[in-house]
Amino acid sequence: AVEYALARLLASWGVEPAAMLGYSLGEYVAACLSGALDLSEALALVAERARLIDALPEGAMLAVPLAAAELVPMLPADVDLAADNGPGLAVAAGPEQAVAELEAELTRRELPARRLTSTHAFHSRMLAPIEAGLTAWAASNLHPRAPDVPYVSNVTGTWITEAELRDPGYWARHATSPVRFGQGLATLLADAEPALVELGPGQS
């Protein structure tokens, strides 16, 4: 909601995006601002996703000062890469005990990992039980269109396609797949002279 309001405020001042990249739920904001989803659809999608996740077991998330390629071999069997944020910064997610074991191993290696404020292991296989329900809900309730403003997918790290938007399963994959933010930022920075504006509620 904050990002959407800030973007609308900037638009009232004549500042319009040429392209966008959201982070996790921020992709819903990008889809809405791009014209791919109506605001009412995006809000309903957020609410349905939250309703389904609320019924799942709780989990934990850990920000780690390692590249994804360095972190993945260290992950316990039931912990997943939840976000690839760029060189030297990734996020792991999974059951509380398994994440605590990973945290202890990182401490042993003198790597200052940081717990994220999160009730569940977002962007991990712990959310897999909601995939069928969220896909079915999206098929019945979303009517996506080709975006008027291009934006980058968290799932692929490159430009969203109309085929992805029209696939109800995309929104389920978005919930369980790692956030490919580092790749997404690289996609935006491929522009020879980018001017980046970050919109958000705080320091995340």
Side-chain angles (χ1 to χ4, degrees):
V2 172
E3 290 92 339
Y4 182 83
L6 289 172
R8 287 304 185 202
L9 178 62
L10 286 174
S12 72
W13 297 339
V15 179
E16 297 280 1
M20 292 178 288
L21 168 64
Y23 190 98
S24 189
L25 284 181
E27 181 168 338
Y28 293 18
V29 179
C32 184
L33 291 170
S34 76
L37 293 178
D38 291 336
L39 176 59
S40 60
E41 291 178 313
L43 291 173
L45 177 58
V46 171
E48 180 63 13
R49 178 182 184 271
R51 186 187 70 80
L52 291 170
I53 290 173
D54 192 52
L56 297 179
E58 293 189 353
M61 302 184 76
L62 189 69
V64 181
L66 291 172
E70 297 174 289
L71 174 62
V72 168
M74 298 173 56
L75 296 177
D78 47 358
V79 175
D80 295 318
L81 175 70
D84 179 357
N85 288 333
L89 187 58
V91 177
E96 166 64 36
Q97 182 175 348
V99 171
E101 291 171 3
L102 174 62
E103 188 174 21
E105 174 60 19
L106 292 166
T107 299
R108 188 184 69 79
R109 299 188 188 200
E110 299 184 345
L111 291 169
R114 178 173 58 88
R115 285 292 185 109
L116 301 186
T117 303
S118 173
T119 57
H120 291 80
F122 296 104
H123 299 287
S124 80
R125 79 189 86 165
M126 287 192 74
L127 268 60
I130 76 168
E131 286 185 333
L134 191 57
T135 298
W137 183 91
S140 298
N141 293 277
L142 300 183
H143 305 90
R145 300 160 298 282
D148 297 323
V149 179
Y151 75 87
V152 178
S153 162
N154 285 174
V155 177
T156 65
T158 190
W159 303 109
I160 192 76
T161 67
E162 186 174 356
E164 287 167 333
L165 283 169
R166 294 188 183 279
D167 174 10
Y170 175 80
W171 303 104
R173 292 193 300 277
H174 180 274
T176 57
S177 299
V179 177
R180 301 290 180 187
F181 186 75
Q183 295 93 319
L185 194 56
T187 296
L188 289 183
L189 292 174
D191 186 311
E193 296 183 358
L196 302 182
V197 176
E198 180 183 3
L199 301 178
Q203 297 180 351
S204 57

